[in-house]
Each structure stands twice: as C-alpha cells, then as structure tokens.
C-alpha cells in the first residue's frame, strides 16, 4: 500500500474519532456536585472542567505520537540497495 494512502486512511479515521465523541462525564462526586450547583446558578465551571479533562487526556497521546515520530525518523531505512540477480533461477 502506498504511503500517501496509509496517511490518508489514518487521518480519516482520526478525524472520524475526533468528530464522534461523547461529552466527558467522569468526575469525582465532590466535583460533580460543585459543577452541578454552579451550572444551575448560571455559572460556566462545567465548560472549564471539561476542557481541562480534554487537555489532560491529550497529553499522553501527544507524548506517544512524538516518541513514535522520533522512532520512525531514526529507524527508517534510506537508500537501501537491493542486489537482485538478473539470472533466471532453475528450481529443477
């Protein structure tokens, strides 16, 4: 498979994952109660808390992506010389 096709498929899947997400609901009971009270009173603390969760969730993925990129750059093969013989092989 060609490299541009792999990159296109990977980016397409990544875009679909980014579009189809559920709002984050995982909070401790004290945080959930505080945010619920704040949003009933017209505050916007829930938005900031959810953005903070997204930020904390993105950090490990960025770190793994960075390490993967460095690994790819370091260990990819460049200018590989394939010595293929032009003679026909006789298998019998």
């Amino acid at each position: 498979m060609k490299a541009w096709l792999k990159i296109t498929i990977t980016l397409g899947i990544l875009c679909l994952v980014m579009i189809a997400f559920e709002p984050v609901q995982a909070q401790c009971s004290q945080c959930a109660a505080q945010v619920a009270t704040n949003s009933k009173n017209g505050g916007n603390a829930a938005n900031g808390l959810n953005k903070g969760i997204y930020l904390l969730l993105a950090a490990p993925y960025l770190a793994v992506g960075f390490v993967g990129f460095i690994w790819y750059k370091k260990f990819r093969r460049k200018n590989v010389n394939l010595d293929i013989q032009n003679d026909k092989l006789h298998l019998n």
Side-chain angles (χ1 to χ4, degrees):
M1 194 181 291
K2 299 197 182 230
W4 64 270
L5 185 59
K6 287 181 184 179
I7 292 171
T8 305
I9 290 172
T10 304
L11 287 176
I13 291 172
L14 182 65
C15 288
L16 287 175
V17 168
M18 295 292 278
I19 290 172
F21 68 89
E22 291 286 326
V24 176
Q25 300 294 329
Q27 299 169 353
C28 67
S29 60
Q30 292 175 344
C31 294
Q34 189 69 21
V35 169
T37 304
N38 189 339
S39 44
K40 284 181 186 176
N41 294 333
N44 58 0
N47 294 336
L49 186 60
N50 283 334
K51 287 180 183 178
I53 291 171
Y54 288 140
L55 180 68
L56 290 172
L57 182 65
Y61 288 105
L62 290 174
V64 168
F66 180 72
V67 169
F69 178 74
I70 297 297
W71 188 357
Y72 169 75
K73 287 297 229 179
K74 185 174 181 180
F75 292 110
R76 71 178 174 167
R77 292 186 175 189
K78 297 179 185 177
N79 300 327
V80 176
N81 187 12
L82 298 175
D83 295 326
I84 299 175
Q85 297 176 356
N86 290 331
D87 301 335
K88 292 184 179 180
L89 294 175
H90 298 288
L91 299 176
N92 293 331

